[in-house]
Amino acid sequence: MDNYKIRAVLQGHSADVKQVLASLTSEGSIVSASRDKTARLWQPMEDNTFSLRKTFKGSPKYVSCVTTAEPSEEYPSGLVITGCQDGIIRGYLPDVEDPLFQLEGHAENVTSLFLSKFGTLVSGSWDKTAKVWFNKKCTMTLTGHDLAVWCVASLPAVGVMVTGSADRTIRLWRTGKCEHILKGHTDAVRGLAIISAEEFLSCSNDATVRRWNPSGECLGTYYGHENFIYSIHLLPNGKDWVTSGEDRTVRVWKNNEVSQTIYHPAISVWSVCALANGDIVSGASDGIVRVFTADPGRHAAKEVQEIFEAELSKLALAAQQELGGVKLSDLPGPEALFEPGRKDGQTKMVRDGESVSVHSWSMADQKWTKIGDVVGAAGGSQKTSGKKLYQGKEYDYVFDIEIDEPKATLKLPFNIVDDPYMAAQQFIHKHDLSQYYLEEIAQHIIKNTGGQTLGLGSAGNADPFTGGSSYSAGGISSGSGSSNTGGGVAADPFTGSGAYTSGSGGVETNGPATRNGPPPPDPWMQGAYKTTDGDDNSSSVPMDVQESNPYFPHTEYLRFDQGIKSEPLLKKLKEFNLQVPEDCQLTTEQLDSLPDVAISEADNPDGAAAILKVLSWENAAFIFPCLDLIRLVALHPVNQKYILEKQFLDKLFSVCLASLSKEAPTANQFLSIRILCNLFTSQDGQEFLVMYRESLVTRLMLEIMNSENKNVQIAIGTLFLNYAVAFQKQSADSEDGQIQVLSALGINGLSFISDWEARFRILVAIGTLLTLSQDNIEYAKTLEMKDGVRGWKLLEGPKKCTECAQFICNL
């Protein structure tokens, strides 16, 4: 009987390893994809370890999946292909860290890739589609799944594509048409393994593996895991397989049964694969790639194996999960470990005094191996333990969650050794709530527990069901209660001090408000929607709203009209002016007069011409002071006309579009959008932006709507709100624009925007658009926008957001 033991531990990734795969670029090599925004290629060494050959960069978001192509005439060294959270597929040469090419088409996270022997690439995405690519072009889009597509594959030689989805179904496709829908799994389908043209395997969050034929018949259902199964891969013999999952294990299956259970010192084992020599590779939530082998000649040194076993034994296990209601006094003592186990992977709890440890039986080694200690097993009263009682059981926290449909207050018990996302998911399933609530409930838990965790620091998980916003494995910040997740607040673009403010509309760059701080500022410049109440700081979320709707439809454009700081602005411009070619430089007199174009009442055509010259500087990092100046010139009663002249406006729009790129400096991103927002205040500017709406909105969706920067998010929300106001002013001729903006808000806005002020503006924009026609309401239903809005409404946002969301739900 094969007995897999640790061969090598590959360290280098700084966050969860989402996929591992045997690389076709060179014999015995491994490729891994990670939430640290990289993929890595590992090369085998003569001493049976692995060394890092190359780190592949270029993704601004998580790298979710990876595949490889063997060497060919076109690519003599092969290819490494990654799928990323930004919806882009990237191709790399094995020894070059930057992408060779990009494939764009998916609107959301690319979750899976499958490359056939004939060069056809199949990709799956959270956008509910799979796409078929050939020669770097999308040849087919497979549409039909109701939720995220988690896995894809292709049956050899028969032209059948296979997709598995969070909607619990598997679909078989031929020439772009769905031929069969396979039902049987009771939860999301996460992985596929092709045995032959006549059979394949699937694994699911329902903790089962199923065997299917292409006719849709389920040939067998196999049980072995205790929790979600994330990954499945065939062993080299072509009939047995390995799986990995949320129960901290990799399991080896022989003759349709688990023959060995390999525990990991990590909560989630996201991926597993087999190498050609039979070795097994795993990628886990602790950011480590591990290689296991059944060949004694490749086993790691004894000290490495001892370290691995020590890591397992130190892992804290949740008492509620492991004790299962068994009294401490009823548990056996250490003598129970002299009795052999009945099957591989069997677990046994053993009491030693007032502590309890968990042990797993290895059939191959014929011994019990300690895999963890049970936390909190000694019990104690509620008063002495500091825990809360719920249904007779003790928890660290019991949260009150108020929902509106049906109106009720629900209890959510939570222990700090639990994973916030798993707790939120179980709560959603138990109460049959919308999947859109997952991120909000998980963040509510994280916020109110102060980010406490036991066991591994990287125990956070992505939404394992629908692919909601992912949970960073780099640790949880208790923060201030702001929902601004990462990206943070840009420093002052002039001094780097963070003192730069963005203007009206409550946009600030000097840090997020604390949870117990003052209420958000007046959301509009004129104080029309004054918010008088601060954020509710209790665990309960109020849902009552006033009958009157002061939020939408909104009829006035929002502006960014905060004054500029002339001295630091000029200092920066003079610094940059010395670094550009001499023929592009401005004179000292021209530089000194630039702020007057925005702040002086005088007509200043020469100053406007000087600003246009600065816009022509090639280095984008040098123009942000000029962009901030133009923001105010766009509102100037006299000099506004100069930036609306065709030559100036064409150049300005070109610069703004270039700034709406993932690679552009963050300051350029939000300052460009602020300019566009302010252009709406003139008739010519409004007509120009409506005319070029399609290219602008498309650019936003593809490039920066998933930005985590607060200033970028608020600028985006304001721009969409101004578009909604523009469509209201000319609703008869703007149907296409209304649909495009609703699509952007429903698909991207409700998924990626995390700042509450930005969310408020998005909500007002949605409400304004929905009031324009019944067709818009019907279209919003197809996008399931109501669920997204309700997700924002559920938890601790400002009162204005809760109320505005409720008015939208009432439409």
Side-chain angles (χ1 to χ4, degrees):
M1 176 181 176
D2 291 338
N3 181 24
Y4 284 90
K5 293 187 176 182
I6 193 74
R7 169 186 169 183
V9 177
L10 283 55
Q11 295 181 309
H13 284 296
S14 59
D16 299 47
V17 176
K18 290 296 291 180
Q19 187 174 8
V20 290
L21 196 66
S23 175
L24 299 177
T25 58
S26 57
E27 185 178 355
S29 59
I30 300 166
V31 65
S32 57
S34 171
R35 284 188 182 152
D36 65 6
K37 306 178 184 180
T38 72
R40 294 176 183 243
L41 182 60
W42 308 86
Q43 199 73 16
M45 306 298 289
E46 291 184 359
D47 61 356
N48 291 321
T49 61
F50 288 78
S51 65
L52 179 64
R53 174 175 170 182
K54 183 58 63 176
T55 299
F56 304 107
K57 301 178 180 179
S59 174
K61 293 287 186 177
Y62 304 152
V63 180
S64 306
C65 55
V66 65
T67 190
T68 61
E70 60 187 1
S72 64
E73 186 175 336
E74 183 178 6
Y75 303 110
S77 58
L79 274 179
V80 175
I81 306 170
T82 64
C84 305
Q85 193 190 20
D86 61 1
I88 295 176
I89 299 167
R90 293 173 171 86
Y92 299 82
L93 295 176
D95 293 301
V96 181
E97 70 174 25
D98 295 320
L100 176 66
F101 62 82
Q102 294 188 168
L103 305 180
E104 300 187 20
H106 282 297
E108 295 187 58
N109 182 25
V110 179
T111 57
S112 53
L113 295 169
F114 183 93
L115 186 65
S116 75
K117 294 181 180 179
F118 305 103
T120 300
L121 179 68
V122 188
S123 59
S125 170
W126 284 353
D127 65 10
K128 307 178 188 177
T129 73
K131 291 182 180 290
V132 183
W133 309 80
F134 190 72
N135 286 337
K136 304 187 188 69
K137 294 182 180 179
C138 180
T139 59
M140 283 186 288
T141 298
L142 310 180
T143 304
H145 281 293
D146 296 325
L147 291 171
V149 175
W150 272 110
C151 49
V152 295
S154 177
L155 296 180
V158 295
V160 174
M161 310 293 180
V162 188
T163 58
S165 168
D167 65 10
R168 308 176 185 180
T169 70
I170 298 168
R171 292 181 181 242
L172 304 183
W173 311 77
R174 191 188 298 272
T175 64
K177 296 181 180 179
C178 181
E179 287 193 337
H180 296 287
I181 300 177
L182 283 53
K183 297 182 179 179
H185 282 298
T186 58
D187 216 320
V189 181
R190 297 302 296 268
L192 296 165
I194 304 301
I195 298 174
S196 68
E198 301 300 325
E199 285 188 4
F200 64 91
L201 301 169
S202 63
C203 67
S204 167
N205 284 343
D206 64 11
T208 70
V209 173
R210 287 178 178 258
R211 185 189 299 266
W212 308 84
N213 64 24
S215 299
E217 181 182 0
C218 182
L219 305 176
T221 302
Y222 313 112
Y223 302 88
H225 278 273
E226 300 168 2
N227 210 322
F228 312 140
I229 306 178
Y230 292 138
S231 177
I232 185 168
H233 198 276
L234 285 185
L235 290 170
N237 64 16
K239 63 178 183 178
D240 297 320
W241 65 88
V242 287
T243 53
S244 68
E246 185 67 13
D247 54 7
R248 304 191 300 120
T249 69
V250 163
R251 302 194 184 226
V252 184
W253 300 70
K254 298 290 181 69
N255 299 319
N256 303 330
E257 293 182 349
V258 174
S259 64
Q260 185 178 352
T261 301
I262 306 172
Y263 279 89
H264 282 56
I267 299 298
S268 308
V269 186
W270 292 115
S271 179
V272 66
C273 73
L275 302 181
N277 62 5
D279 289 359
I280 295 171
V281 185
S282 67
S285 58
D286 58 0
I288 295 176
V289 177
R290 294 177 174 87
V291 185
F292 301 87
T293 183
D295 184 346
R298 291 196 296 272
H299 286 170
K302 183 178 179 181
E303 55 268 25
V304 176
Q305 296 189 42
E306 289 175 348
I307 291 172
F308 177 69
E309 291 180 2
E311 289 175 342
L312 281 178
S313 66
K314 291 176 182 177
L315 186 68
L317 303 177
Q320 193 60 51
Q321 173 186 342
E322 298 296 339
L323 290 176
V326 177
K327 292 182 180 178
L328 179 64
S329 58
D330 293 339
L331 293 175
E335 66 278 1
L337 299 179
F338 292 110
E339 179 184 350
R342 296 185 301 276
K343 63 177 182 177
D344 193 84
Q346 176 188 348
T347 56
K348 178 177 289 188
M349 288 186 293
V350 173
R351 171 180 49 84
D352 186 5
E354 291 198 344
S355 64
V356 175
S357 57
V358 183
H359 301 256
S360 174
W361 176 253
S362 169
M363 289 293 287
D365 292 335
Q366 288 292 298
K367 70 175 185 179
W368 293 96
T369 302
K370 181 180 176 182
I371 61 172
D373 294 301
V374 178
V375 177
S381 67
Q382 180 178 1
K383 182 175 181 180
T384 58
S385 68
K387 290 179 175 286
K388 310 285 185 183
L389 283 177
Y390 177 65
Q391 295 182 346
K393 301 175 183 177
E394 289 185 336
Y395 294 89
D396 294 310
Y397 299 89
V398 178
F399 300 110
D400 287 330
I401 303 294
E402 292 193 9
I403 63 170
D404 57 338
E405 296 179 16
K407 192 168 184 63
T409 300
L410 305 175
K411 299 289 186 182
L412 194 166
F414 181 79
N415 281 313
I416 59 175
V417 290
D418 295 337
D419 177 75
Y421 280 78
M422 288 304 303
Q425 186 63 61
Q426 291 162 2
F427 179 79
I428 285 171
H429 279 328
K430 179 178 180 180
H431 298 289
D432 196 25
L433 300 177
S434 166
Q435 196 66 45
Y436 278 97
Y437 292 152
L438 184 132
E439 178 70 14
E440 295 292 348
I441 296 173
Q443 289 298 328
H444 177 69
I445 295 171
I446 292 166
K447 234 191 288 188
N448 287 281
T449 58
Q452 297 180 71
T453 57
L454 290 181
L456 297 171
S458 57
N461 303 323
D463 170 10
F465 295 91
T466 64
S469 299
S470 299
Y471 179 49
S472 173
I476 305 167
S477 172
S478 59
S480 60
S482 169
S483 62
N484 190 20
T485 60
V489 179
D492 175 3
F494 298 119
T495 66
S497 66
Y500 179 62
T501 58
S502 66
S504 65
V507 190
E508 299 178 350
T509 61
N510 55 352
T514 60
R515 188 165 168 247
N516 295 315
D522 178 9
W524 312 124
M525 191 178 76
Q526 302 301 327
Y529 304 155
K530 185 68 176 176
T531 301
T532 56
D533 297 329
D535 293 348
D536 184 357
N537 294 322
S538 68
S539 294
S540 175
V541 185
M543 289 296 166
D544 295 331
V545 298
Q546 303 170 2
E547 291 300 320
S548 60
N549 179 359
Y551 301 109
F552 60 82
H554 191 62
T555 59
E556 299 297 328
Y557 295 118
L558 298 191
R559 315 186 307 174
F560 291 93
D561 60 358
Q562 176 78 16
I564 57 173
K565 300 177 180 179
S566 298
E567 184 177 344
L569 183 145
L570 280 175
K571 182 178 179 181
K572 272 296 178 187
L573 279 174
K574 290 178 178 179
E575 173 189 330
F576 295 149
N577 190 56
L578 295 174
Q579 300 179 52
V580 301
E582 189 172 345
D583 60 336
C584 297
Q585 292 180 3
L586 275 62
T587 65
T588 302
E589 293 75 15
Q590 287 176 316
L591 286 169
D592 289 338
S593 66
L594 283 182
D596 293 339
V597 185
I599 62 179
S600 172
E601 296 180 1
D603 190 353
N604 195 339
D606 293 337
I611 292 175
L612 181 58
K613 188 173 183 179
V614 174
L615 277 183
S616 301
W617 288 354
E618 290 186 3
N619 192 331
F622 292 170
I623 66 170
F624 70 82
C626 180
L627 293 176
D628 201 33
L629 190 62
I630 295 172
R631 170 183 62 84
L632 282 187
V633 177
L635 303 175
H636 196 280
V638 178
N639 293 323
Q640 178 191 71
K641 62 179 180 287
Y642 296 115
I643 68 171
L644 295 173
E645 292 177 352
K646 186 179 187 309
Q647 180 185 2
F648 198 122
L649 191 56
D650 287 348
K651 179 61 180 178
L652 176 61
F653 190 63
S654 175
V655 169
C656 288
L657 278 184
S659 298
L660 303 184
S661 162
K662 297 180 180 71
E663 290 75 26
T666 301
N668 290 30
Q669 291 176 354
F670 66 76
L671 289 172
S672 293
I673 302 174
R674 290 177 183 177
I675 290 172
L676 298 173
C677 291
N678 286 359
L679 286 177
F680 272 104
T681 59
S682 69
Q683 184 64 31
D684 289 345
Q686 174 192 322
E687 293 174 356
F688 181 88
L689 290 170
V690 170
M691 180 187 305
Y692 290 100
R693 174 262 314 158
E694 184 172 358
S695 59
L696 177 56
V697 173
T698 300
R699 183 83 170 177
L700 285 170
M701 290 179 68
L702 292 177
E703 292 289 333
I704 64 170
M705 276 196 73
N706 58 355
S707 170
E708 296 175 345
N709 182 271
K710 172 181 179 177
N711 292 315
V712 174
Q713 290 192 7
I714 294 176
I716 289 172
T718 308
L719 183 65
F720 280 121
L721 179 50
N722 280 358
Y723 264 116
V725 173
F727 295 150
Q728 185 188 55
K729 294 179 182 294
Q730 51 177 41
S731 58
D733 302 317
S734 61
E735 290 85 354
D736 290 345
Q738 294 172 39
I739 293 301
Q740 187 193 19
V741 172
L742 271 176
S743 299
L745 297 176
I747 296 172
N748 294 61
L750 292 174
S751 299
F752 294 118
I753 300 298
S754 57
D755 178 83
W756 278 112
E757 181 59 36
R759 286 179 170 183
F760 176 59
R761 298 175 185 220
I762 293 288
L763 289 171
V764 178
I766 291 173
T768 299
L769 290 169
L770 295 184
T771 60
L772 296 182
S773 73
Q774 184 62 35
D775 288 343
N776 286 356
I777 294 177
E778 295 303 318
Y779 181 67
K781 290 178 181 178
T782 68
L783 296 177
E784 300 179 343
M785 290 181 73
K786 183 176 180 180
D787 285 340
V789 170
R790 286 180 60 210
W792 280 4
K793 170 180 171 292
L794 180 65
L795 292 176
E796 294 178 88
K799 182 179 178 182
K800 63 183 180 182
C801 293
T802 301
E803 292 183 347
C804 188
Q806 182 62 61
F807 284 118
I808 292 173
C809 292
N810 291 342
L811 290 176

